[in-house]
Amino acid sequence: MGMVGKAVCNIYGNIIRYGLVESEEMKGKWKYCKVNWVDDKEYRDSIAHMQKMRNDGKDYTRHMYRVDELKLVNIDRQIKKLRILKNEKVNGKLEEADRVN
């Protein structure tokens, strides 16, 4: 199954990342994908912090992901489920910590 153009997600620590697959290639028996992540500042900041802490001059940014590290996303279904969750949480009231800026 071709992945190019598909919406996917990946979890890095506590960060849920969403993006579109730009390209794919086979390496041995595994397919790898390059993903154009959206609103990915939190991940980039996390990688920059890791690079600063390790201070070894390496770039830890991932550019290719093995297909088993990516999950296909049905965008409309995800939005519907998140809206249901938002409405059910604390009788429809979001806690201050859950508000998105």
Side-chain angles (χ1 to χ4, degrees):
M1 173 175 88
M3 298 280 289
V4 174
K6 305 271 183 173
V8 294
C9 73
N10 169 266
I11 298 177
Y12 176 81
N14 289 327
I15 303 167
I16 302 174
R17 305 170 72 207
Y18 293 95
L20 294 175
V21 175
E22 289 184 335
S23 64
E24 58 189 20
E25 64 183 68
M26 293 299 295
K27 292 184 182 180
K29 294 181 180 181
W30 284 98
K31 183 185 291 187
Y32 285 79
C33 297
K34 181 177 180 186
V35 180
N36 180 16
W37 301 106
V38 296
D39 192 23
D40 208 30
K41 183 179 182 328
E42 193 174 5
Y43 170 79
R44 290 190 312 271
D45 289 349
S46 178
I47 295 299
H49 176 73
M50 179 174 37
Q51 289 171 324
K52 181 179 177 184
M53 293 289 100
R54 292 186 179 176
N55 195 28
D56 60 7
K58 292 182 182 177
D59 180 6
Y60 291 93
T61 305
R62 299 273 312 273
H63 299 285
M64 298 296 285
Y65 295 82
R66 211 167 70 179
V67 292
D68 64 325
E69 298 175 298
L70 302 171
K71 303 297 179 214
L72 291 173
V73 174
N74 179 314
I75 296 170
D76 292 330
R77 189 179 312 152
Q78 285 268 300
I79 290 171
K80 179 181 176 183
K81 287 181 180 185
L82 289 170
R83 283 186 177 141
I84 291 168
L85 178 62
K86 179 179 177 181
N87 289 332
E88 289 182 1
K89 184 166 169 92
V90 192
N91 296 321
K93 297 179 182 176
L94 284 173
E95 296 174 9
E96 193 62 34
D98 291 334
R99 297 205 184 275
V100 176
N101 295 329

